[in-house]
Amino acid sequence: MMRTITLLIMSFMTRLLERIREKARQNNPFKNILVILIIFILGSCAKDPGQIGYVIQPEDSKLNVAFDDSTSIYAYSRLSDSVQTSHMSLSALGSLNDPVFGNTIAGFYTQFVLSAPAHNFGEGKTLDSLVLQLKYANSYGDTNAMIYAHTYEMMEGISRDSIYYSTLQLPIGTTDYSNQSFLPSVNDSIVVGDDTISSVIRLNLTDLDISLGEKLLNASEEDMESSENFREFFNGLFIQSQPVDYDGRLIYFSLSSSDTKLTLYYSNDDADSLNYDYIITTATANVSKYEHNRNNAGLSLREQVINGDTALGQEKFYLQGFGGIETVIRLPHINKWAIRGNVAINEAKLLLPGYEDDNFFAPPTRLALYKIGADSSFYTLTDEYEGDAYFDGNYNSITNSYEFRITRYIQSLINDTTQPNNGLGLFVSGEPVNANRFIFKGNQFGSDTTGIKLEILFTDL
């Protein structure tokens, strides 16, 4: 602004000088002296406004902005606790055999309710088949891998009002009603009667044993009177996969889709080719169940995650969804920043570069970062309230890395050195429905200097 004003004044003075020079051509001595004075004044106005007062500003009052990435930081991985998996938007089925992370098996429990209460199957009813139809949502892993589906009747019910976790173990019947393998065709359509349905798998639950179909067909009038009565009569189904020997795949199903249902096909004395649907709604309960087996996982992971050798995190550490593996990040000497005096943190950025991995299991789209409290619980960081665009945590495919801005968190640790510094907890975002995994470079990744670090831009006040 000052520079603009100065330029306007100089322009005005220049025009004025030209007029004076025109008058000076009359060889008037007084006018020549006036020209010299104006030139002197004009020159004195040309000083850079950015330098005005600079020489009188005390050295100790100038603000110094600096950059630092030498703060001590390290991370290590450990087993996660089970995650809440009740009432999830997606349910997974399948198995992964990861050479680094070991084996993961996914399945789910689900209730069904009546599509139309007080249904009567009629006189002379005869079972044709019982078919479980599931709507595909997406997949994870080897797209050429087979999915194995085993279906059992639940011997104990679940409640929509209760909270369940991924380690839930309910009693189930001994009869496997499907024992079916299939190659998912997520984008294909199939013809069912007069309808064409896209992206579904249909499991015939009467090919091996008809007892479940007969049970549903012979439900009493009281059992069919309402969905509440029906849930007492039929607890639901448990659909589970089996371990695979190589790679593997998970298929995610949308249980809330109208295309997901259990259909009983039958006939009676009055008609053939009849059917009745048992459906899943917002009033029904479902719980995902995950099993992790680390016996065939990589040695480095087992030593760090199972046996607790946290020093191995200096080279690399791990993260896995489905309640598999979480990471703890420590900043043991962050309080030393308080020794610098009055420091304002302009930006503190946590960098999490990825370890080169030739496996085809896709990385998480996004990570979640929390503060670890004195009670070892996890709490939302103040920086997250600044919004996703600021806080970040998204995967960068170009750099194979993640980053978070944790400016407010770091400033709070510096301002109050008495508060607990228990570190940060790192997770796969949406881990109850995301199986994705990732390997990170530690803070001492060989001779490489691109491991985990904290970059701080600060002002010394």
Side-chain angles (χ1 to χ4, degrees), residues 76-84 165 319 323-330 368-382 384-385 391 409 421-428 431:
Y76 61 89
S77 300
R78 65 188 184 187
L79 293 178
S80 294
D81 291 331
S82 58
V83 290
Q84 179 183 333
Y165 293 85
L319 205 62
I325 296 174
E326 64 190 32
T327 285
V328 174
I329 299 173
R330 302 289 191 190
L369 188 69
Y370 299 98
K371 178 174 68 173
I372 302 176
D375 58 353
S376 297
S377 297
F378 299 99
Y379 298 91
T380 301
L381 288 165
T382 307
E384 188 170 353
Y385 296 121
F391 190 55
Y409 172 69
N421 177 16
N422 298 305
L424 301 166
L426 185 67
F427 301 86
V428 172
E431 65 168 334

Side-chain angles (χ1 to χ4, degrees), residues 223-243:
D223 295 331
M224 297 293 291
E225 183 179 354
S226 67
S227 289
E228 290 75 15
N229 290 358
F230 180 73
R231 282 196 294 263
E232 293 293 327
F233 169 70
F234 177 56
N235 294 309
L237 295 174
F238 174 56
I239 301 92
Q240 176 71 300
S241 188
Q242 68 186 45

Side-chain angles (χ1 to χ4, degrees), residues 365 394-402:
T365 303
N394 296 301
Y395 178 64
N396 186 326
S397 59
I398 298 176
T399 60
N400 187 38
S401 67
Y402 300 84

